[in-house]
């Protein structure tokens, strides 16, 4: 069975009779078995996926996603299936409903082949903060795949599915995409309903995709996007036909930040590849200019105040009473809360709940939370201002390539810095795509670059990205 890279290839093979849905699913299942050592899947929906495939072979339904075999991150609800956010506190919890995004994909004929690992409650940049243990990068199993949607990226990288869903609060789709050499996309805030996505930082979270191509990225977005009665933050902006991928009809203006390209944490090889990519854009007839962006150093502190504040509030629902883990040793209400949470949450999640509770506490609220909100506004406004003059912002996706397992686990601040180039898109609520641009000259690992556009400019962003590849 050939390794398919786009849905169009799969559908052509289905139409010609060279492929059946059953054989397609069976070959992905074999691949899942062959890559067990990477610890990608926490659950494989083997029988179910095969049955769906057989039904599709028999009835030939007309869905636009016929042949799309997907993996979903363990923070996205799928009715009657377990969902645990990589956390012991939710072990055994079964979802009562499907995320709106999942329902829309299934309605078009997609098959969900399994649930994949991630950092606990999507907190992390290496997929090491999971109750199921770390996922490994298929390019080098001694390396991390990035995070928090690390296993979603490896699932695609290793050919165990055609595309995967992840979630992106500060870079969790784009950074692993860069580490694994696949395409990772985060839409504008509100473009895809968050109903059925386990909440981390509600003002930042978005469902995103990992795929081999911009083509499939655009099609998946087109199907998932749009208003939803279950999520009042889902935008009512009309959903364009993203999958048309219209190329730009005039030369585009692209900016990059001097502060990003000259960033002391940016690896030399990545800097060179990013600048080479800028030349490629110029050669295609567009302009690329360096501009000043004075807030880059404030992005990480702002994000880690706001994301932890929101997380501490969102995670208060895991109290040992309503759902998830309840301590056997609890003897009254207080000890139920305390022991269940102590036993259920991992170290990084506890750290963030404490940080978030601290920045929201009386006496510190104004100094931290209010201040971070104000800085977020500045970053947002300055970003908007840039889009008055430029169509896109070009950035490295991550300052380094994939690091070794265990290398940063004892230094959370070092780990947080991995998000320095991705968080701006979440703070500003804008769409961003990470695209693979080759291998690092020294370590040979995948390198990604990122393009960002103004809010709800996905159509232009995806069309432009597609035209460059
Ligand atoms: N690495 C970032 C964090 O730990 C981003 C995670 C994400 O986007 N979910 O918060």
């Amino acid at each position: 069975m050939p390794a398919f890279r786009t849905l169009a290839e799969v559908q052509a093979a289905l139409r010609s009779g060279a492929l059946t849905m059953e054989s397609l699913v069976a070959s992905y299942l074999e691949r899942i078995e062959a890559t067990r050592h990477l610890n990608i899947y926490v659950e494989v929906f083997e029988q179910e996926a095969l049955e769906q495939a057989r039904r599709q072979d028999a009835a030939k339904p007309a869905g636009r996603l016929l042949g799309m075999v997907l993996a979903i991150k363990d923070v996205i609800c799928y009715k009657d299936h377990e969902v645990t956010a990589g956390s012991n506190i939710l072990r055994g919890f079964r979802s009562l409903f499907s995320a709106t995004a999942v329902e829309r994909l299934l309605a078009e004929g997609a098959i969900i082949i399994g649930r994949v690992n991630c950092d606990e409650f999507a907190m992390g940049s290496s997929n090491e903060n999971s109750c199921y243990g770390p996922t490994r990068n298929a390019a080098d199993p001694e390396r991390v795949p990035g995070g928090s949607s690390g296993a979603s990226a490896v699932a695609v990288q290793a050919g165990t599915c055609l595309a995967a869903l992840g979630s992106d609060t500060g870079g969790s789709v784009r950074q692993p995409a860069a580490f694994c050499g696949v395409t990772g996309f985060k839409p504008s805030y509100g473009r895809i309903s968050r109903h059925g996505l386990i909440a981390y930082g509600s003002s930042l979270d978005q469902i995103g995709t990992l795929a081999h191509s911009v083509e499939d990225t655009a099609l998946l977005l087109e199907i998932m996007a749009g208003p939803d009665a279950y999520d009042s933050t889902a935008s009512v902006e009309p959903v364009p036909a993203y999958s048309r991928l219209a190329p730009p009809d005039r030369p585009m203006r692209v900016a990059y930040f001097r502060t990003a390209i000259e960033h002391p944490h940016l690896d030399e090889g990545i800097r060179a590849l990013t600048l080479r990519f800028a030349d490629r854009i110029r050669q295609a007839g567009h302009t690329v200019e360096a501009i000043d962006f004075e807030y880059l150093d404030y992005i990480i502190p702002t994000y880690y105040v706001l994301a932890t504040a929101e997380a501490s509030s969102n995670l208060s629902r895991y109290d040992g009473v309503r759902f998830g883990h309840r301590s056997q040793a609890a003897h009254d209400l207080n000890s139920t809360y305390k022991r269940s949470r102590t036993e259920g949450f991992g170290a990084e999640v506890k750290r963030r709940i404490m940080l978030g509770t601290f920045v929201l506490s009386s006496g510190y609220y104004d100094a931290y939370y209010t201040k971070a909100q104000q800085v977020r506004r500045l970053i947002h406004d300055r970003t908007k201002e840039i889009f008055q003059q430029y169509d896109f912002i070009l950035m490295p996706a991550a300052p380094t390539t994939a690091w070794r397992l265990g290398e940063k686990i004892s230094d959370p601040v070092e780990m947080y810095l991995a998000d320095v180039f991705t968080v701006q898109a979440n703070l500003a609520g804008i769409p961003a795509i990470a695209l693979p641009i080759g291998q690092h000259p020294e370590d040979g690992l995948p390198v990604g670059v990122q393009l960002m556009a103004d809010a709800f400019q996905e159509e232009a962003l995806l069309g432009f990205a597609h035209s460059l590849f």
Side-chain angles (χ1 to χ4, degrees):
M1 174 94 42
F4 292 107
R5 294 187 63 84
T6 63
L7 183 62
E9 288 173 16
V10 175
Q11 291 183 341
L14 285 169
R15 269 196 307 273
S16 76
L19 182 74
T20 64
M21 281 304 302
E22 187 178 358
S23 62
L24 178 67
V25 167
S27 78
Y28 282 130
L29 290 169
E30 269 169 37
R31 198 61 205 137
I32 291 173
E33 276 315 308
T35 53
R36 281 279 173 207
H37 62 288
L38 301 174
N39 196 25
I40 308 169
Y41 286 78
V42 296
E43 191 181 358
V44 184
F45 308 139
E46 188 172 334
Q47 289 315 319
E48 207 185 318
L50 281 170
E51 270 162 39
Q52 269 170 284
R54 280 185 211 117
R55 273 202 304 275
Q56 291 182 337
D57 282 331
K60 300 258 180 297
R64 297 180 71 194
L65 293 181
L66 187 68
M68 175 58 80
V69 177
L70 290 169
I72 57 172
K73 181 176 179 179
D74 188 26
V75 290
I76 296 172
C77 296
Y78 184 14
K79 191 175 184 326
D80 298 329
H81 294 75
E82 201 172 321
V83 59
T84 69
S87 182
N88 278 324
I89 208 148
L90 274 175
R91 283 254 191 166
F93 176 75
R94 293 178 87 75
S95 188
L96 301 173
F97 56 86
S98 288
T100 300
V102 165
E103 274 188 357
R104 291 181 183 172
L105 296 169
L106 293 173
E108 289 291 347
I111 289 182
I112 297 175
I113 200 162
R115 172 165 70 95
V116 293
N117 204 4
C118 60
D119 283 301
E120 187 175 359
F121 286 100
M123 297 174 188
S125 303
S126 66
N127 212 135
E128 292 168 294
N129 305 327
S130 163
C131 72
Y132 305 104
T135 294
R136 293 163 182 272
N137 194 317
D140 175 355
E142 292 313 308
R143 307 251 173 185
V144 301
S148 65
S149 315
S152 299
V154 184
V156 176
Q157 176 195 30
T160 67
C161 57
L162 189 57
L165 296 188
S167 66
D168 192 311
T169 305
S172 271
V173 160
R174 291 160 286 150
Q175 182 255 18
F179 279 17
C180 297
V182 301
T183 297
F185 175 68
K186 176 203 96 76
S188 306
Y189 184 76
R191 184 67 299 188
I192 296 178
S193 166
R194 288 180 295 115
H195 175 64
L197 167 66
I198 292 181
Y200 163 15
S202 306
S203 77
L204 306 154
D205 296 340
Q206 267 294 287
I207 289 178
T209 52
L210 295 112
H212 287 296
S213 66
V214 178
E215 236 172 285
D216 287 356
T217 303
L219 180 61
L220 289 168
L221 175 68
E222 189 174 320
I223 285 161
M224 290 187 284
D228 178 15
Y230 292 116
D231 175 6
S232 60
T233 66
S235 171
V236 294
E237 284 272 320
V239 178
Y242 295 121
S243 60
R244 266 204 329 250
L245 288 171
D249 54 7
R250 58 174 168 82
M252 294 281 119
R253 294 153 305 174
V254 181
Y256 68 81
F257 304 157
R258 273 188 205 97
T259 41
I261 274 300
E262 289 161 14
H263 201 278
H265 285 97
L266 178 62
D267 170 276
E268 272 307 317
I270 298 180
R271 187 193 330 269
L273 281 173
T274 307
L275 290 172
R276 200 193 297 164
F277 187 72
D279 282 337
R280 188 155 128 201
I281 298 176
R282 288 191 189 99
Q283 275 151 25
H286 311 287
T287 57
V288 185
E289 286 170 12
I291 61 166
D292 290 321
F293 181 74
E294 51 282 40
Y295 299 123
L296 202 65
D297 285 342
Y298 298 96
I299 282 179
I300 293 287
T302 305
Y303 170 80
Y304 277 94
V305 171
L306 297 177
T308 56
E310 294 185 24
S312 72
S313 161
N314 274 326
L315 271 57
S316 65
R317 73 191 67 171
Y318 307 106
D319 56 6
V321 176
R322 280 166 297 180
F323 35 64
H325 173 74
R326 180 178 302 169
S327 172
Q328 297 293 313
H331 49 84
D332 60 6
L333 189 61
N334 208 34
S335 67
T336 302
Y337 291 158
K338 207 166 164 177
R339 286 179 184 260
S340 303
R341 288 165 72 80
T342 302
E343 291 165 16
F345 288 132
E348 182 61 26
V349 172
K350 286 177 186 157
R351 178 181 296 125
R352 303 225 185 167
I353 291 173
M354 287 188 280
L355 274 169
T357 308
F358 174 76
V359 300
L360 289 173
S361 59
S362 66
Y364 295 102
Y365 188 96
D366 283 338
Y368 294 101
Y369 185 69
T370 306
K371 184 58 76 187
Q373 291 281 41
Q374 290 165 338
V375 180
R376 179 179 190 176
R377 168 58 65 177
L378 289 175
I379 293 167
H380 170 273
D381 290 353
R382 175 72 184 117
T383 307
K384 284 268 162 204
E385 206 177 285
I386 294 169
F387 288 124
Q388 303 282 310
Q389 280 180 44
Y390 294 93
D391 298 292
F392 307 111
I393 297 170
L394 168 71
M395 280 271 225
T400 65
T401 51
W403 56 83
R404 288 198 170 71
L405 285 156
E407 200 177 311
K408 296 196 182 182
I409 203 74
S410 56
D411 188 347
V413 174
E414 187 53 30
M415 187 87 89
Y416 297 172
L417 282 169
D419 308 326
V420 61
F421 301 131
T422 47
V423 165
Q424 182 182 4
N426 304 78
L427 290 176
I430 59 174
I433 189 163
L435 299 156
I437 51 164
Q439 266 112 35
H440 191 275
E442 277 142 45
D443 57 26
L445 291 166
V447 173
V449 81
Q450 195 184 188
L451 286 167
M452 298 186 264
D454 201 359
F456 295 94
Q457 294 304 311
E458 279 85 354
E459 195 179 11
L461 176 65
L462 295 167
F464 182 62
H466 185 60
S467 75
L468 297 170
F469 279 82

